[in-house]
Amino acid sequence: MSLANPGLIAVAAVGLPVLGALGIAALPERRGHGPFTVATCAAAATAAAVYSLVHAVAGGAVVDITAWRVGPLLTLRFTADRLGLLFAAVASTLWVLTTVYSHGYLGNGPNLRRYFGFLTLSLTATMGVALAGNLFTLYVFYELLTLATYPLVIHEQTPEAARAGRTYIAYSLGGAALVLLGIVGAVAVGGSLDFRPHGLLSGASPEPLVYLTAACFVAGFGVKAAVMPLHSWLPQAMVAPTPVSSLLHAVAVVKSGVFGILRTVFFVFGIGLFREARLDVVLIWVIGFSIVLASISALRQDVLKRRLAYSTISQLGYITLGAVMLTPEGITGGLMHLLAHALMKITLFFCAGIIITQTGRTRISQLDGIAHRLPWTMSAFAVASLGMVGIAPVCGFVSKWYLLLGGLDRYGWGPVALLFGSGLLNAAYFFPIVTRAFFRPYADLPLAAEGGHGPPVHGTGESGRGRRTAEAPLTMLVPVLALASVCLILGIWPTPALAFLRQLVEHL
Amino acid sequence: MMPGGWASLPELISSGGPPHGETSIFVMLAIAIPALGALVAALAAKNPRLRNAAAIAGAAGGLGALIPVVLSVRRAGAVAWALPSPLVTPQGLVLRFDGVGSVFACLVALVWLAASVYSLTYMSHERNQARYFGFLLITLAATIGIAGAGTFVTLLVFFEMMSLTSYVLVVHSESPEAYRAGNTYLYMGAFGGLSLLAGVVALQHYLGTTDIAPSAAALEGLAPAVRWTIVALLCTGFGIKAGAVPLHVWLPQAHPVAPSPASALLSGIMIKAGAFGILRTINMLLAPGPSAAGHAAWSLAHSAGFVMIWVGVATMLTGVILALLQENAKRMLAYHSISQMGYILLGVGTGAYLGAEGAVGFAGASLHLINHALFKACLFLAVGAVLLKTGEVNMYKLGGMWRYMPFTALACLVAAAGISGIPGFNGYASKTLLHHAIVEAAHTGGAGLALAEKLFVLTSGGTAASFIKLFGLVFLGKAPERHRRAVFEETPLKLGMAILVVGILAIGLWPSGAVRNVIVPSTGGFSYDHHAVEHLAHVQFFTWPDLRGSAVAVALGALIFTLGMRTGLFHLHGPRWMSVEYLVLAAASFAGRLWVRLVDAWVAGWTIVRSAVARSISRAAELLPALDYAPGQSETAREFSLLNLDFDFFLVLAVIAVSLVLVFATSHI
């Protein structure tokens, strides 16, 4: 790299969206493309910064910068290792697409300045979580993420949204408080806050305080990762506009919870201590239940976005499961799934959003023959669904393959049985949507506006009735098709991703 | 240094390795041409001529590309094409045709070509033709891929692809009935796919490779329990597709609702992919390597073969009994597909059971696999032609059609003779080999397998009865009033059937040639005894005991037919609880109800806990202000407010005091 200190790029990746958000706030509140343009540019610039970091780190650079000393122990420190960069790259890339999609979804709706401002601010928080170099930094940005996404969740400003927002805040802040307790425990045992390869606490023995710390971290980050007893904020938060749901579910919020768990497992406890304390076995049981129960719950949902939400809970379990298997294959599978799930789930949500705006339908039972109206959208949906079930050549297959291998490696046939059952459930709740949309006659339902809110419905009404297809505007359709293609390309040619993950796993 | 043995990170990405045998680009083209044709056909929705041309060119091109492949296999034993690795799976995709694979691929492409030609007429008035032809060709690509898979993971990828793409063919009509049948097909396919995935992953984990012919040494190192588990998982996955009882439920639903040429392919070819997989699994994973000698090495194959023989017998008997009870001609053919798959499984079973001497079982199974593809596809095309021209598929409402559709009648007759095992038609050859195999197994296996041999003859009788019935009811007798009109049999319809009729007659009239030139070379990859294979090349088919066996079966068939027609036995319907489907659905609905109960109980319990927590929090919130801020007014606070201090201040003092005590107590001064 030509730049003397790549650490500055890390700071830029975190700081650029703040500038963007400030810029949006400074814009006059009027209808126009201003907030959208600034938000897109900020997201694109952040993504560029992250990719240059990826390039620098691949070239052997060490990115580590202390931005601000708050006090002893408490420093804002940013490092860019491969784990953080994986998350940062996924998030920032998808952010650009989500911003573009939001423009199509919200159209000329109200409060666009607030929406795009907080959307951009949330990117800062996510980048901060990804590039945090110590527990303090991670904690600060983890809290900021809750606060920055809250206005997005309640964007519709309905009583339902307000209720969901309250639940979201209560759960998230409670989780963050637990994380804070965990940090205190980590300092008490290890005397430091910095992430270290092989673990900050690697020298410790499995004493009660270590178990307590682990419980705090897992429960605290588990709230955002929606591990099963702590999940109920997530389906409620579905009242948010669909692009926000996609971000919440596919990228920023839930993945930051998962990422927190990964960080603490690998860089605070370390694989050795984690294994010695037999925490891996405990967590595999917990997550196994979470995966199966969430899948069964998903089966029972008729509202499309809610079904996707429960699917998220289940699929996040795959990522955590892979990570806590602590075998190279398992970790590779988990991290591959972090990438694959992000791509597939955001595709599914974007499709759900298109269905809502173009036809006004929110329930799966209303989707008969919808593919005749939205052929491209539903094809993308079908591709992502296949990936979710783990069918080659969509990217979900590769992650599932490694998860199965990793499970067999240390834990026998149990994880295989778990993934088998879960795969069957995935098929049972994803395939009906696809088959219904493609192979049932189109039903021209009279749709009462449910609740009387939500985005403007573009596709129905007098003008839409006679036309054969009613595809979404390009700002929505292009991100969807691009993402579905990436799912396929990554499935067919997983080499670059696997090579990156191999390096990552070797350095853990 | 990593803790816990992390230093030795296994190779996460395989390098693929040099393929053995020849390499030829035609291996790749055999799959790529149909796939390309699919793309063109699907995109040419507005241009029927281009679409039809792409459909035929795709199938014909696939077949054409297989010819050099077969020639290379003859020369070198196997032919491969190295793909960049890792493609699609972390272990990459490996394309390698061996003897069995190339024969199966040619069969697939030939029958596909016949069905595609036939489809030109059959589908010409249907909706969504571009989708139909597109998916028809992509399914062809997947099926050829199955034949040419060099590793189990490649096989898995193509197998799943075939399952899913053929689903679109099953539900083509988009009727509620098709949709329901399609669901059964799809979800059982998904179950099978997952079962395969688990087995293949286990192979990768325990052997470090998923090669279709793993080294004998690696296999020897596996614990028998692991080997059994893997084989059971793989056989479940393939068995669903093969329609093995009790995994056959989807088949009689899905095959009749598809458009007839697609039914022909589903019944003729795609279920064979399952049999092909079982053939590979049993022979490659359970049989010892060529170097191993003695019976001990074959003991696993021996026991698996025994199980497989009985699965085969159960399948053939169930299929034929249910077939006799059908009125719908296409559904009857579907049940016969189950029954005929039983023959193939029986052959695979005897092959494994007889160990090194099992070449005759293998030969019977693989020849029957070919034969069944030819005659069953032909039967579906013939019945489909009748359906197309009369709109009727109920056998009892048809009759006398030979007058109006002579070519179709002839094709149907030839195929029926084939499936009934009449000398001079192809089924006779394979059934003879299978009969030899089961007799040989019965010699070594005692009374149990002697019973299996009797059941074999009985099934052959039932099959003959069933096809006497089909041909008699549909083509002979008097035509009903409304079907008495001239029918034009279009050339594509005739051509499609003609291709298959030629195949049936060629094998039927020259069985020893077929065995010598097709079956014997494909034993190459397997570890059968040299003499057993040698013996195979010199089997005489038209000997008195075998001819007599065929005559017995046909006579038995005539008897069953007469009895059935006279007594109304063919209209018998078993009680509902006897069907596997009913049992599974009942179990599923019970589990569903149980789950709902559990969830309700959980929700109720959780609500109680949550409201209790909420109540105590709000109580605490009410109490706290009572303690605070208003010492003058609160009784409780007054008790605490010593010396008339504000309660806040008192609290602050207490906290400081406690902190000081803690600091001093812990600092060891």
Side-chain angles (χ1 to χ4, degrees):
Chain A
M1 285 300 291
S2 54
L3 273 169
N5 189 356
L8 290 176
I9 310 176
V11 175
V14 180
L16 276 171
V18 180
L19 292 181
L22 288 176
I24 293 169
L27 288 173
E29 171 75 68
R30 60 172 172 81
R31 296 188 171 184
H33 296 323
F36 160 69
T37 316
V38 176
T40 312
C41 291
T46 309
V50 169
Y51 281 106
S52 71
L53 277 178
V54 171
H55 184 75
V57 168
V62 176
V63 183
D64 188 351
I65 187 166
T66 301
W68 186 26
R69 269 177 217 288
V70 184
L73 281 179
L74 306 183
T75 54
L76 274 188
R77 180 178 165 198
F78 299 107
T79 57
D81 62 348
R82 286 184 174 80
L83 182 63
L85 283 176
L86 174 72
F87 182 41
V90 172
S92 59
T93 313
L94 295 183
W95 221 277
V96 179
L97 291 171
T98 309
T99 314
V100 174
Y101 179 87
S102 297
H103 182 58
Y105 187 87
L106 294 170
N108 282 326
N111 297 323
L112 287 184
R113 192 174 61 160
R114 181 182 76 193
Y115 177 85
F116 282 110
F118 279 103
L119 188 68
T120 313
L121 194 61
S122 306
L123 178 57
T124 292
T126 313
M127 289 300 114
V129 167
L131 301 177
N134 59 21
L135 279 168
F136 174 69
T137 317
L138 179 65
Y139 170 75
V140 168
F141 284 100
Y142 189 71
E143 286 274 29
L144 178 64
L145 184 60
T146 306
L147 302 177
T149 46
Y150 175 73
L152 300 175
V153 172
I154 58 157
H155 182 78
E156 308 275 2
Q157 293 183 332
T158 57
E160 201 192 346
R163 203 162 49 244
R166 270 202 300 280
T167 315
Y168 175 55
I169 282 283
Y171 270 85
S172 294
L173 293 186
L178 282 174
V179 171
L180 191 56
L181 268 183
I183 292 176
V184 172
V187 175
V189 179
S192 165
L193 286 172
D194 291 334
F195 296 132
R196 286 186 202 141
H198 321 317
L200 163 63
L201 311 179
S202 57
S205 57
E207 51 186 301
L209 191 52
V210 168
Y211 282 103
L212 197 65
T213 311
C216 286
F217 275 131
V218 170
F221 288 121
V223 168
K224 276 219 171 81
V227 177
M228 194 63 177
L230 309 171
H231 69 283
S232 59
W233 63 272
L234 187 62
Q236 289 188 42
M238 286 295 86
V239 295
T242 305
V244 174
S245 312
S246 354
L247 268 191
L248 288 174
H249 287 89
V251 202
V253 176
V254 292
K255 293 282 157 61
S256 70
V258 170
F259 184 77
I261 294 180
L262 298 181
R263 269 284 185 230
T264 44
V265 169
F266 297 132
F267 294 89
V268 174
F269 293 96
I271 288 160
L273 178 62
F274 215 72
R275 229 179 232 175
E276 199 186 339
R278 295 192 61 73
L279 283 166
D280 51 345
V281 181
V282 176
L283 275 184
I284 284 178
W285 274 104
V286 173
I287 293 161
F289 274 107
S290 180
I291 288 175
V292 173
L293 291 179
S295 297
I296 296 176
S297 307
L299 267 181
R300 284 157 54 90
Q301 307 300 324
D302 189 33
V303 176
L304 179 56
K305 280 175 76 179
R306 283 184 74 90
R307 185 173 286 193
L308 295 181
Y310 277 102
S311 153
T312 301
I313 299 172
S314 163
Q315 298 283 325
L316 291 173
Y318 280 36
I319 306 174
T320 328
L321 181 75
V324 300
M325 276 174 185
L326 304 179
T327 57
E329 291 94 347
I331 297 170
T332 308
L335 295 178
M336 188 71 191
H337 205 62
L338 190 140
L339 176 59
H341 174 257
L343 290 168
M344 298 184 297
K345 190 46 72 62
I346 204 166
T347 311
L348 292 172
F349 266 109
F350 281 2
C351 292
I354 289 183
I355 294 171
I356 291 171
T357 57
Q358 297 308 109
T359 69
R361 291 164 203 226
T362 53
R363 289 175 179 274
I364 292 160
S365 52
Q366 300 166 336
L367 295 185
D368 283 8
I370 204 81
H372 298 301
R373 299 290 296 270
L374 306 168
W376 290 106
T377 306
M378 290 318 289
S379 302
F381 193 97
V383 167
S385 303
L386 289 177
M388 280 290 180
V389 183
I391 287 167
V394 193
C395 49
F397 175 79
V398 179
S399 44
K400 201 162 186 175
W401 175 262
Y402 278 121
L403 285 175
L404 285 164
L405 273 181
L408 270 176
D409 196 22
R410 265 177 75 86
Y411 306 97
W413 292 90
V416 177
L418 170 69
L419 292 173
F420 188 112
S422 163
L424 208 57
L425 287 167
N426 285 346
Y429 65 76
F430 273 124
F431 284 169
I433 309 174
V434 178
T435 57
R436 194 182 265 282
F438 277 94
F439 302 111
R440 279 205 169 167
Y442 178 69
D444 218 353
L445 302 171
L447 288 172
E450 285 186 22
H453 59 86
V457 175
H458 311 154
T460 51
E462 295 305 315
S463 60
R465 198 152 294 243
R467 279 184 294 161
R468 224 182 95 69
T469 58
E471 274 294 5
L474 285 181
T475 40
M476 295 167 86
L477 200 56
V478 167
V480 165
L481 294 179
L483 283 164
S485 320
V486 172
C487 288
L488 270 174
I489 292 167
L490 186 65
I492 292 171
W493 189 242
T495 315
L498 287 176
F500 183 85
L501 291 181
R502 185 182 156 76
Q503 295 267 317
L504 195 166
V505 172
E506 266 176 353
H507 284 88
L508 284 181
Chain B
M1 180 59 209
M2 296 278 176
W6 266 63
S8 59
L9 187 74
E11 199 63 21
L12 283 173
I13 304 168
S14 91
S15 56
H20 34 274
E22 280 189 22
T23 55
S24 157
I25 194 167
F26 289 104
V27 169
M28 193 264 289
L29 285 181
I31 297 169
I33 292 175
L36 204 66
L39 200 65
V40 175
L43 293 178
K46 299 266 158 56
N47 185 346
R49 194 172 290 215
L50 176 62
R51 181 194 66 214
N52 289 353
I56 301 303
L63 187 60
L66 282 168
I67 292 167
V69 168
V70 169
L71 294 178
S72 302
V73 170
R74 281 291 151 85
R75 260 199 317 274
V79 55
W81 177 252
L83 289 164
S85 182
L87 199 67
V88 180
T89 80
Q91 265 60 42
L93 291 183
V94 178
L95 293 179
R96 186 171 65 243
F97 285 94
D98 58 0
V100 195
S102 59
V103 169
F104 183 56
C106 286
L107 177 75
V108 169
L110 181 74
V111 177
W112 223 279
L113 182 62
S116 303
V117 171
Y118 178 95
S119 295
L120 295 183
T121 297
Y122 191 90
M123 301 303 291
S124 57
H125 301 295
E126 295 263 346
R127 291 182 301 139
N128 294 326
Q129 287 189 60
R131 183 180 78 189
Y132 172 81
F133 282 111
F135 275 92
L136 194 68
L137 282 175
I138 196 79
T139 312
L140 171 61
T143 315
I144 294 180
I146 292 172
T151 57
F152 273 104
V153 67
T154 315
L155 185 60
L156 166 75
V157 168
F158 283 115
F159 204 83
E160 292 249 39
M161 193 166 143
M162 184 193 76
S163 281
L164 290 169
T165 51
S166 57
Y167 166 80
V168 180
L169 303 176
V170 170
V171 296
H172 181 81
S173 72
E174 299 185 11
S175 67
E177 195 196 4
Y179 188 75
R180 243 191 335 272
N183 275 349
T184 319
Y185 183 66
L186 186 62
Y187 296 114
M188 288 193 75
F191 184 89
L194 283 165
S195 184
L196 283 182
L197 176 63
V200 173
V201 166
L203 270 183
Q204 171 69 27
H205 175 70
Y206 287 106
L207 296 181
T209 170
T210 66
D211 199 285
I212 214 109
S215 77
L219 278 170
E220 295 301 317
L222 279 186
V226 170
R227 226 157 134 177
W228 269 111
T229 314
I230 294 175
V231 169
L233 283 170
L234 292 177
C235 283
T236 307
F238 291 128
I240 285 178
K241 194 58 61 184
V245 170
L247 305 172
H248 66 283
V249 181
W250 62 273
L251 196 153
Q253 296 180 27
H255 288 193
V257 297
S260 296
S263 313
L265 293 175
L266 282 161
S267 252
I269 296 294
M270 283 181 234
I271 57 173
K272 301 305 183 324
F276 180 77
I278 291 179
L279 193 76
R280 285 251 192 244
T281 308
I282 301 264
N283 283 304
M284 297 294 198
L285 295 184
L286 290 180
S291 54
H295 281 285
W298 282 92
S299 69
L300 273 177
H302 189 73
S303 349
F306 188 77
V307 174
M308 196 51 79
I309 288 175
W310 284 107
V311 170
V313 170
T315 306
M316 58 204 268
L317 209 58
T318 314
V320 80
I321 290 170
L322 292 173
L324 282 168
L325 302 178
Q326 302 306 316
E327 297 172 351
N328 178 322
K330 286 180 78 176
R331 182 160 293 131
M332 180 208 106
L333 290 179
Y335 274 111
H336 272 294
S337 294
I338 297 176
S339 174
Q340 299 294 313
M341 289 309 290
Y343 281 89
I344 295 171
L345 295 180
L346 176 107
V348 176
T350 47
Y353 182 78
L354 292 170
E357 310 292 323
V360 61
F362 167 80
S366 37
L367 189 58
H368 202 63
L369 195 150
I370 296 170
N371 290 342
H372 179 249
L374 295 172
F375 56 61
K376 184 52 61 68
C378 189
L379 284 165
F380 262 112
L381 296 189
V383 168
V386 174
L387 171 63
L388 181 70
K389 297 299 174 189
T390 64
E392 184 58 76
V393 77
N394 186 332
M395 289 182 277
Y396 292 95
K397 293 185 180 164
L398 286 163
M401 289 311 293
W402 69 271
R403 263 175 226 287
Y404 308 103
M405 306 180 75
F407 189 90
T408 308
L410 185 69
C412 185
L413 187 63
V414 170
I419 196 172
S420 308
I422 291 172
F425 301 92
N426 62 355
Y428 171 75
S430 46
K431 286 193 180 181
T432 302
L433 283 178
L434 288 170
H435 192 242
H436 286 187
I438 187 72
V439 166
E440 207 172 308
H443 273 306
T444 61
L449 291 181
L451 175 65
E453 192 265 339
K454 296 285 179 292
L455 294 175
F456 180 93
V457 176
L458 187 65
T459 309
S460 302
T463 309
S466 203
F467 284 92
I468 295 171
K469 181 178 149 195
L470 173 75
F471 192 78
L473 290 179
V474 175
F475 291 102
L476 303 181
K478 269 176 69 173
E481 198 63 49
R482 63 180 183 285
H483 299 321
R484 283 187 202 157
R485 55 190 167 77
V487 164
F488 177 62
E489 297 171 276
E490 285 90 345
T491 316
L493 292 184
K494 287 192 200 165
L495 192 60
M497 288 185 271
I499 293 173
L500 299 168
V501 165
V502 169
I504 293 170
L505 291 175
I507 297 179
L509 294 173
W510 194 36
S512 48
V515 170
R516 242 195 319 275
N517 292 315
V518 178
I519 304 298
V520 170
S522 50
T523 56
F526 303 106
S527 41
Y528 289 120
D529 184 60
H530 184 63
H531 297 291
V533 177
E534 195 65 21
H535 170 72
L536 200 57
H538 301 290
V539 171
Q540 292 299 316
F541 284 92
F542 300 105
T543 62
W544 171 238
D546 292 332
L547 290 171
R548 191 182 54 199
S550 168
V552 166
V554 174
L556 197 61
L559 185 69
I560 295 174
F561 173 71
T562 320
L563 276 178
M565 292 303 280
R566 288 284 159 82
T567 59
L569 220 55
F570 287 161
H571 297 289
L572 203 67
H573 288 290
R576 232 155 69 84
W577 56 264
M578 268 181 73
S579 86
V580 179
E581 198 187 348
Y582 176 78
L583 292 176
V584 170
L585 282 180
S589 100
F590 175 74
R593 277 201 303 272
L594 193 69
W595 171 254
V596 171
R597 286 280 161 78
L598 282 175
V599 167
D600 288 350
W602 164 261
V603 168
W606 188 233
T607 312
I608 291 170
V609 170
R610 209 156 45 185
S611 59
V613 169
R615 256 204 315 279
S616 39
I617 289 177
S618 57
R619 274 296 292 282
E622 283 163 16
L623 269 177
L624 276 177
L627 287 170
D628 194 4
Y629 293 117
Q633 293 155 24
S634 163
E635 290 289 321
T636 330
R638 204 171 293 135
E639 283 176 36
F640 280 101
S641 61
L642 299 171
L643 305 173
N644 215 13
L645 278 175
D646 262 7
F647 181 70
D648 319 37
F649 186 61
F650 185 71
L651 201 68
V652 170
L653 280 182
V655 168
I656 292 172
V658 170
S659 317
L660 284 175
V661 167
L662 279 176
V663 166
F664 283 109
T666 52
S667 55
H668 309 290
I669 295 174

